[in-house]
Amino acid sequence: MRKTVIGVMGPGEAATRKDIDNAFELGKLIAGQDWILLSGGRNKGVMAAANQGAKSVGGLTIGIIPTADNLGTSDGVDISIITDMGSARNNINVLSSAVVIACGMGPGTASEIALALKAKKEVILLNDSPTSKAFFKEIGGQSVHSVGSPVEAIEKCQYLLKC
Amino acid sequence: MRKTVIGVMGPGEAATRKDIDNAFELGKLIAGQDWILLSGGRNKGVMAAANQGAKSVGGLTIGIIPTADNLGTSDGVDISIITDMGSARNNINVLSSAVVIACGMGPGTASEIALALKAKKEVILLNDSPTSKAFFKEIGGQSVHSVGSPVEAIEKCQYLLKC
Amino acid sequence: MRKTVIGVMGPGEAATRKDIDNAFELGKLIAGQDWILLSGGRNKGVMAAANQGAKSVGGLTIGIIPTADNLGTSDGVDISIITDMGSARNNINVLSSAVVIACGMGPGTASEIALALKAKKEVILLNDSPTSKAFFKEIGGQSVHSVGSPVEAIEKCQYLLKC
Amino acid sequence: MRKTVIGVMGPGEAATRKDIDNAFELGKLIAGQDWILLSGGRNKGVMAAANQGAKSVGGLTIGIIPTADNLGTSDGVDISIITDMGSARNNINVLSSAVVIACGMGPGTASEIALALKAKKEVILLNDSPTSKAFFKEIGGQSVHSVGSPVEAIEKCQYLLKC
């Protein structure tokens, strides 16, 4: 049976301490639901932390890798999908996710949220920028959901998957 | 000698009257500078209008087409690059442009601005949303330039191309 | 720990009866090795049969889908990676596979073999066309391995994974 | 009015002297027909030579670049489309060409021929490998045309464009 894939998107090098803590927790909670964690797969910031969180409880993880090999891939990625297409792979990240959780903010993450909204996906925002929330609400309307913690993000996911 | 390519990105179906007028003017002014106009190439909204503007003064236009054929391509596109890769082609749009002008706003346009910033490109915003300007300044800093008219956008382009 | 992904590539609508039988057997044997089966994921020919074979023994399967949704995805695909990039996804198929097994022949399959050779991957050919074997040997040299049965293909995979 | 784009595909580093001479001549003849030359755009082998040929008579040239910048782009490319998607850009090369001319042979070129046939494009082969001709005839049938010289290739193009 087709498995439920939840995407966690967020900054690499520019992730804050709080982003990383949230990402680890998100990975753990996603695995706890028996969902598969999908991320950009790099060994940095939110991607690395989410994968480590999922693996800490024995979850299954997929990384959609921007480069042509696994040199920069997180050790927490079980299944590595090598795209060699740089940021164009961000569209694959969101199309392959039942729900997209954006943990933190930055240009790459913003592109993923925007591509998700373009593809009519539901997006959950977990970050400290009121401006980002206002902006994505402006262009995404009711498909944009703002939450305050990883636990709230998972509850929102559960709700959205039932719709 | 390598030609200067300027990208004009903006909504298709959701473009406002003002977006379309601005896009036509941008196309005309870009062609007047002997720059090549690059757009998403569809026969809708900002894309269609920018191409028509450029063609109205004999410019050369390139469309980066999301579909597998030219059924939805603007008549104003001289050279049609067929990608068959949907919104993933947005990354090609920005990587191929010396400067990106975002005319209007929406999920697709936001993804192009964000992808441009991720790739360290300079982006010029021409729209009526203060929230979008605040957001992209927040994630893009000095690479984001807000202007009030097509003429100002071209002046900013000229300045940026000299840097 | 990173999982071993083996790609099975082959025709959809144009697959022969023998291609389909071989693909089912390949899927079964790949799953039996605890490898993950990767395919183009469509609900046709070699792709569908390989996935069914893997699922018949409880294997884990990944499909790299050319379209924007799962309408044409094989029921045997556990994890669906949605690319919306048509045949350009063929490059992802081969880059993500430790070894590529080409089961049957046709334009799409030929593109995957050629892209695999371009990326310095090892390719195993299982088909009835001596011309195809001669051609790929000519352009791929010792990276091209011709076998006569699914069992031989798996033995060759085991050997190549140890190199 | 939409311009006619003719693609010339062929090896980079591995091109033979004859491939390079043929590519230069093809570029020249394509420009002489007022067609636009499209190539993979790299500063090597068939790509470089075809662009130089076209520029020697003032033609217009487009390169579909596999990398994220123009460091390896041929000086003969007027308009550089930056894809940053490696060999996946081969599909764009063929989809954007009215007719594909394969000059020489190798894994990358073979992938372009196969992708062209998959997309129902007409392909002209100009090389010294009887095996390659037999193979592509086997999978492409009447869409594969073998010629003996650049002049013959252009005549075949003219014929195919009228069909």
Side-chain angles (χ1 to χ4, degrees), chain A residues 12-13 42 85-91 105-108 110-112 114-115 117-118 129-136 138-140, chain B residues 12-13 42 85-91 105-108 110-112 114-115 117-118 129-136 138-140:
Chain A
E13 288 78 359
R42 291 174 55 230
M85 49 192 277
S87 296
R89 71 86 153 80
N90 293 4
N91 200 43
M105 189 50 62
S111 77
E112 285 160 324
L115 289 166
L117 295 174
K118 180 74 180 170
S129 156
T131 311
S132 79
K133 292 171 192 172
F135 173 65
F136 285 115
E138 190 171 292
I139 65 169
Chain B
E13 288 77 359
R42 291 174 54 230
M85 48 193 278
S87 296
R89 72 84 153 81
N90 293 4
N91 200 43
M105 190 50 63
S111 77
E112 284 159 325
L115 289 166
L117 295 174
K118 179 76 181 169
S129 157
T131 311
S132 79
K133 293 171 193 172
F135 173 65
F136 286 114
E138 189 171 293
I139 64 168

Side-chain angles (χ1 to χ4, degrees), chain C residues 42-105:
Chain C
R42 291 173 54 229
N43 194 20
K44 296 285 174 189
V46 163
M47 293 170 274
N51 282 301
Q52 285 155 8
K55 293 313 295 176
S56 74
V57 293
L60 185 65
T61 61
I62 298 189
I64 310 292
I65 310 301
T67 51
D69 58 41
N70 278 318
L71 291 180
T73 299
S74 163
D75 287 345
V77 168
D78 292 319
I79 301 172
S80 176
I81 303 298
I82 305 279
T83 69
D84 192 20
M85 48 192 279
S87 296
R89 73 87 154 76
N90 293 4
N91 200 44
I92 301 178
N93 294 358
V94 301
L95 293 177
S96 304
S97 299
V99 177
V100 171
I101 305 175
C103 174
M105 189 51 63

